[in-house]
Amino acid sequence: MRMSRLLAPTLREVPSDAEIKSHQLMMRAGYIRKLAAGIYSYLPLGLRCERKVEQIVREEMDNAGAQELLMSALLPAEAYQASGRWDVFGQSMFKLKDRYDRDFCLGPTHEELFTQTVINEVRSYKEYPMTLYQIQTKYRDEGRPRFGVMRSREFVMKDAYSFDMTQEGLDESYKKMYDAYCRIFKRLGLDFTIVDADSGAMGGSGSQEFMVKSPVGEDGIAYCDACGYAANYEKAQCIPEEKEFADGDLPLEKIETPNVHTIDELVGFFGTEPYVFAKTIIYKADDKYIAAMVRGDREINEVKLKNLVGCVDDLELAEPFMVREITKADVGFAGPIGLEIEVIADLEVANMKNFIIGANDTGYHYKNVNINRDFTPDRIADIRVITDGDKCPKCGQPIKTAQGIEVGHIFKLGTKYSDALGLKFTDESGEQKTVIMGCYGIGVTRCVAAAIEQMSDDNGIVLPVAIAPYEVMVVPVNNKEEEQMRLAEEIYEDLKKQGIEAVLDDRAERAGVKFKDSDLIGIPLRIVVGKKCGEGIVEYKLRTAEVPVEMTVEDAKFEAVKYIKENK
Ligand code: ATP
Ligand code: MG
């Protein structure tokens, strides 16, 4: 490809709505352009990168024995209605009607359709185990589309589904996908961590996520360097911390606390530590209201809470007017004493003594509160967010925490969909049994963003050869110099002949501009033809190297081919 012909509209300015590095760079490097919130076009460079990620995913899926097929993104409602997810997805699902007023959706994920396909097409138990996959565009009307293609409303996902006759079979199919995922993310050059994930409302017996550690990740992950434990916050089990509280059974006191709402303000007012308070938060869980309590220095983990109460739709903070109605007080003074809704206390709250809570009376708190004497929670459970320094649930050593980008998710589904849709098989002895399923997703387009998020420098994108849009950039320093142009052309043609994806920067630009663009768009290797071209000497520079190396033309070509082939 010649730079003069390539649609690579690089930008010098950082687009104002791009908050994170990968989004900024993908825009600046001319990889993507925004059409609407969470909807993007892929320009040639972005598409090449995306296709390479797809291809790696495809090769490893095929190697693992999975079969590729392709389904529509436009899907009739029936299968989703049968599984119940037509409603469960709520606003996240793009729903539409055809001209006959029939319901359709744009597929957010395809468990139902794959289950249906297997029901229709598989004739004998002898065809199991079977793993099917597709690489296809998904649609989710995300509440907060952001970060470019990291969280978009249209994205490419690889989704695979395994079908087995036994639990052991599922374990094996799952392990194959686990191994394939490790190979995929390694080939993409990603530094990733595998964490135990929440199986949530999906049911199922096990689930793991592949996370790319990054401060911009939207998932919290807890890990232990001592024993290797790693889990998503949603799953990470919290061990209650022992704290010192005032001794004895002190009498309950109602204290006037005017204009004191937050934990910080309370700490100032009472002159004590945040852990001596318990906060009570009112939530709306589907159509009922509940109160959740954690220690003042802790946060509630809403996913744990949602799973605990079996909430199907959203769990959200109660509206202020409902908080007032339920607590008979302004927001900020909620407490468990006298509440008529269910009170769920965190495990740590159960260990507190003589602590402070809101009094359900505007401007008042209770002091010296004791559980079972002053109130009794309806349930006591682990509902808090794990933090740095918490004890590892496996080995007791201090936990560390980080943010992660979820690039892949593998899931032992069990029989949720086969039960809902009726996927059964008749075994050798004539007995009817339910097929056991697993599902396995990779966010292909998110992987592109995650790779750029993790692999870039001040000058731009630094992708590995395997997924960079092109492999080698050949740059004549001055294309008015005929000899330079001729040699650059020759190197370019020769590299192409040897199967290298080369670009020739034949534009009438200054060398500095050409170097900047080459770095910005993330070409892993650059060969510069300059003043010494008469002596047959060129500059060879890896994107990751500080400085170029001078080489003969022959050496440069040889080294380039070797480097690209070795790193593909
Ligand atoms: P998240 O928690 O980030 O919303 P999810 O758990 O809902 O993701 P899955 O249903 O497990 O996502 O989908 C499989 C994979 O698809 C995810 O691991 C992720 O890489 C990718 N993915 C999900 N939602 C999006 C999105 N809105 N934009 C880009 N990729 C996505
Ligand atoms: Mg997931």
Side-chain angles (χ1 to χ4, degrees):
M1 175 52 74
R2 287 163 191 274
M3 257 325 236
S4 60
R5 314 304 311 149
L6 183 67
L7 179 62
T10 55
L11 309 172
R12 295 282 166 253
E13 300 290 310
V14 177
S16 60
D17 66 339
E19 295 167 64
I20 62 167
K21 208 167 42 176
S22 55
H23 186 193
Q24 293 170 354
L25 286 172
M26 290 180 81
M27 294 291 294
R28 283 190 51 215
Y31 276 44
I32 54 168
R33 286 295 180 257
K34 181 173 164 180
L35 282 176
I39 304 178
Y40 291 86
S41 304
Y42 288 78
L43 300 186
L45 292 174
L47 184 63
R48 287 180 72 90
C49 180
E50 194 275 342
R51 287 275 159 84
K52 288 186 180 185
V53 175
E54 267 190 22
Q55 190 50 28
I56 288 174
V57 171
R58 181 172 284 118
E59 283 169 19
E60 295 299 341
M61 283 293 117
D62 291 347
N63 276 341
Q67 299 177 66
E68 185 171 8
L69 52 74
L70 182 61
M71 288 193 182
S72 171
L74 179 61
L75 303 168
E78 285 77 16
Y80 289 93
Q81 285 163 342
S83 73
R85 287 212 289 184
W86 185 257
D87 297 321
V88 170
F89 271 111
Q91 289 191 316
S92 314
M93 193 186 242
F94 280 104
K95 292 177 178 164
L96 60 157
K97 286 189 188 287
D98 71 3
R99 63 171 72 199
Y100 305 107
D101 213 31
R102 285 185 295 232
D103 285 316
F104 283 81
C105 69
L106 297 177
T109 171
H110 280 61
E111 280 76 8
E112 286 82 351
L113 281 297
F114 275 76
T115 309
Q116 198 64 60
T117 301
V118 172
I119 291 174
N120 295 345
E121 311 305 335
V122 171
R123 311 215 162 131
S124 152
Y125 72 89
K126 289 183 185 149
E127 294 178 57
Y128 299 121
M130 177 186 285
T131 298
L132 303 172
Y133 79 98
Q134 63 176 346
I135 298 177
Q136 189 249 14
T137 307
K138 299 278 185 272
Y139 296 86
R140 293 184 186 178
D141 197 356
E142 296 277 357
R144 277 190 79 194
R146 58 186 189 146
F147 299 164
V149 299
M150 193 84 89
R151 179 170 300 284
S152 47
R153 298 199 292 171
E154 182 192 69
F155 58 97
V156 177
M157 193 203 286
K158 182 286 300 176
D159 47 328
Y161 306 87
S162 64
F163 301 88
D164 277 280
M165 295 185 284
T166 59
Q167 188 61 41
E168 298 71 50
L170 168 63
D171 292 344
E172 244 174 75
S173 299
Y174 182 90
K175 178 74 171 59
K176 278 193 190 147
M177 287 294 119
Y178 178 100
D179 291 340
Y181 274 43
C182 291
R183 288 193 297 270
I184 289 167
F185 295 121
K186 214 165 150 218
R187 285 182 66 186
L188 298 181
L190 291 170
D191 178 12
F192 64 96
T193 307
I194 304 164
V195 305
D196 291 341
D198 167 47
S199 315
M202 294 271 273
S205 56
S207 154
Q208 284 165 302
E209 286 163 343
F210 290 72
M211 294 282 189
V212 169
K213 274 190 208 162
S214 159
V216 306
E218 295 180 278
D219 282 270
I221 56 184
Y223 60 99
C224 171
D225 286 334
C227 72
Y229 171 85
N232 190 309
Y233 274 8
E234 299 165 357
K235 173 84 178 179
Q237 188 197 340
C238 296
I239 308 294
E241 188 192 27
E242 302 292 333
K243 284 282 191 195
E244 291 281 319
F245 292 92
D247 258 349
D249 199 13
L250 304 177
L252 184 69
E253 281 181 57
K254 189 166 176 179
I255 310 278
E256 196 176 352
T257 53
N259 301 320
V260 176
H261 303 85
T262 64
I263 291 291
D264 277 351
E265 287 165 354
L266 281 164
V267 165
F269 185 89
F270 283 94
T272 177
E273 297 287 331
Y275 73 80
V276 184
F277 301 89
K279 41 186 178 191
T280 306
I281 302 192
I282 316 288
Y283 282 98
K284 185 176 180 195
D286 294 339
D287 47 11
K288 66 173 184 180
Y289 290 86
I290 55 170
M293 296 182 71
V294 285
R295 233 169 55 185
D297 55 339
R298 304 297 201 187
E299 296 304 325
I300 291 174
N301 185 316
E302 293 181 357
V303 176
K304 285 183 181 172
L305 185 60
K306 188 173 170 176
N307 292 343
L308 184 75
V309 297
C311 171
V312 186
D313 269 333
D314 267 350
L315 178 89
E316 50 193 44
L317 288 177
E319 312 86 330
F321 81 93
M322 281 307 296
V323 174
R324 266 179 233 118
E325 188 170 321
I326 291 165
T327 66
K328 319 271 186 306
D330 282 353
V331 176
F333 297 96
I337 298 180
L339 274 191
E340 278 168 12
I341 55 174
E342 184 184 10
V343 175
I344 301 171
D346 180 61
L347 294 173
E348 273 180 349
V349 174
N351 292 342
M352 293 171 76
K353 279 194 306 204
N354 299 314
F355 57 104
I356 302 168
I357 57 174
N360 294 328
D361 191 355
T362 303
Y364 288 91
H365 279 80
Y366 281 121
K367 195 176 150 182
N368 299 332
V369 178
N370 283 292
I371 282 202
N372 295 336
R373 184 192 70 182
D374 303 320
F375 76 97
T376 306
D378 296 292
R379 279 196 259 190
I380 296 174
D382 171 12
I383 54 166
R384 74 174 168 94
V385 176
I386 199 164
T387 60
D388 262 299
D390 250 311
K391 278 195 179 135
C392 168
K394 220 164 139 195
C395 76
Q397 290 302 304
I399 278 283
K400 287 188 184 153
T401 63
Q403 292 304 112
I405 302 166
E406 180 193 324
V407 287
H409 192 171
I410 56 178
F411 205 123
K412 289 182 186 173
L413 277 175
T415 57
K416 180 177 156 95
Y417 294 94
S418 24
D419 276 336
L421 302 170
L423 170 54
K424 296 192 184 308
F425 66 97
T426 309
D427 73 5
E428 259 171 321
S429 58
E431 201 186 329
Q432 260 221 338
K433 291 182 177 154
T434 306
V435 172
I436 303 174
M437 289 173 59
C439 71
Y440 317 90
I442 290 182
V444 174
T445 40
R446 183 179 287 181
C447 281
V448 174
I452 293 173
E453 195 61 41
Q454 205 168 58
M455 293 175 274
S456 68
D457 62 15
D458 292 343
N459 298 323
I461 295 170
V462 193
L463 286 176
V465 172
I467 57 172
Y470 283 95
E471 294 163 348
V472 180
M473 177 74 81
V474 184
V475 185
V477 168
N478 180 352
N479 54 348
K480 290 201 191 85
E481 297 280 338
E482 246 172 61
E483 204 180 351
Q484 284 185 21
M485 273 310 278
R486 192 193 46 73
L487 184 58
E489 288 267 1
E490 185 191 302
I491 295 170
Y492 164 68
E493 291 298 340
D494 197 18
L495 289 176
K496 277 206 304 182
K497 256 190 226 123
Q498 298 193 61
I500 302 297
E501 297 171 15
V503 185
L504 175 69
D505 197 343
D506 56 345
R507 295 174 303 168
E509 291 282 359
R510 282 182 293 115
V513 171
K514 296 181 185 180
F515 296 162
K516 271 212 166 69
D517 277 341
S518 175
D519 279 353
L520 176 60
I521 65 183
I523 309 298
L525 175 61
R526 186 162 83 204
I527 297 178
V528 179
V529 184
K531 283 199 188 98
K532 291 196 180 168
C533 86
E535 302 156 48
I537 303 283
V538 294
E539 280 181 5
Y540 175 100
K541 184 179 177 299
L542 291 179
R543 177 70 180 79
T544 48
E546 285 288 321
V547 285
V549 188
E550 287 193 345
M551 284 187 199
T552 64
V553 174
E554 285 315 308
D555 282 354
K557 284 193 289 195
F558 178 81
E559 288 299 324
V561 173
K562 187 163 153 251
Y563 178 79
I564 299 300
K565 300 236 150 116
E566 277 172 5
N567 286 283
K568 232 173 174 156

